[in-house]
Amino acid sequence: MPDMLVNLLKLPSLDRLNDEGVNIRRAQGFEITPVRDFIEKNFSVAWADEISAGFANKPVSVVIATRAGRVIGFAGYECTRKAFFGPTGVVESERGSGIGTALLIASLWGLRELGYVYAVIGGAGPTDFYKRAVGAIVIPDSEPGIYVDLLK
């Protein structure tokens, strides 16, 4: 999967979701356990490990989507490398409702607030989604990127 580049000076606004029951917000440091548990259960231990680095950042660089006090999606930035977005995921039952887009945009605004002009989406799976959502472009010759020689 290639890496992608996003111009943070051309980000869409942080519009509210049409679903008033969903809250998109920065995670708080004391929420690491329920967020990690959600990621391990629905995605992978490796992604939960990456997100742990975001909880160590000040400010925390993890954005979550919640419904009725439960995590339904997450996104991290500056977890893997400086100016990198990811990992991110939304529970399967909530996909297609704009939650992933809202998490992405909130995270990219977080990177912009840190002073970056460009962000990297590392190992971007759904490249068409990122192109559509934030105008991301594929970085030529970016495969395999940083995700090589992984520990087993």
Side-chain angles (χ1 to χ4, degrees):
M1 294 181 287
D3 293 341
M4 299 185 81
L5 190 68
V6 180
N7 183 338
L8 299 179
L9 299 178
K10 296 183 178 181
L11 290 176
S13 64
L14 284 166
D15 294 330
R16 292 185 55 92
L17 287 172
N18 289 334
D19 187 336
E20 293 296 323
V22 175
N23 187 26
I24 305 291
R25 64 173 176 80
R26 182 184 310 273
Q28 299 180 70
F30 54 81
E31 295 174 315
I32 189 169
T33 298
V35 174
R36 277 191 57 94
D37 289 349
F38 168 80
I39 297 168
E40 285 184 28
K41 177 183 174 194
N42 294 284
F43 300 97
S44 73
V45 172
W47 280 10
D49 289 346
E50 281 185 84
I51 287 298
S52 294
F55 274 97
N57 291 332
K58 301 296 179 245
V60 170
S61 59
V62 178
V63 179
I64 57 174
T66 63
R67 180 189 297 281
R70 300 225 181 263
V71 179
I72 57 172
F74 75 98
Y77 59 96
E78 291 232 322
C79 295
T80 307
R81 295 283 195 279
K82 294 286 190 184
F84 263 60
F85 167 77
T88 186
V90 175
V91 71
E92 194 168 341
S93 62
E94 297 281 355
R95 292 179 190 161
S97 62
I99 295 169
T101 301
L103 289 165
L104 168 65
I105 293 169
S107 296
L108 294 176
W109 274 102
L111 284 167
R112 183 172 165 173
E113 289 167 1
L114 290 173
Y116 295 107
V117 177
Y118 296 97
V120 175
I121 302 170
T127 55
D128 288 339
F129 165 74
Y130 292 117
K131 287 176 187 176
R132 217 176 26 257
V134 292
I137 59 170
V138 171
I139 301 172
D141 299 321
S142 61
E143 291 184 79
I146 65 168
Y147 299 101
V148 295
D149 192 27
L150 301 177
L151 297 177
K152 295 179 183 358

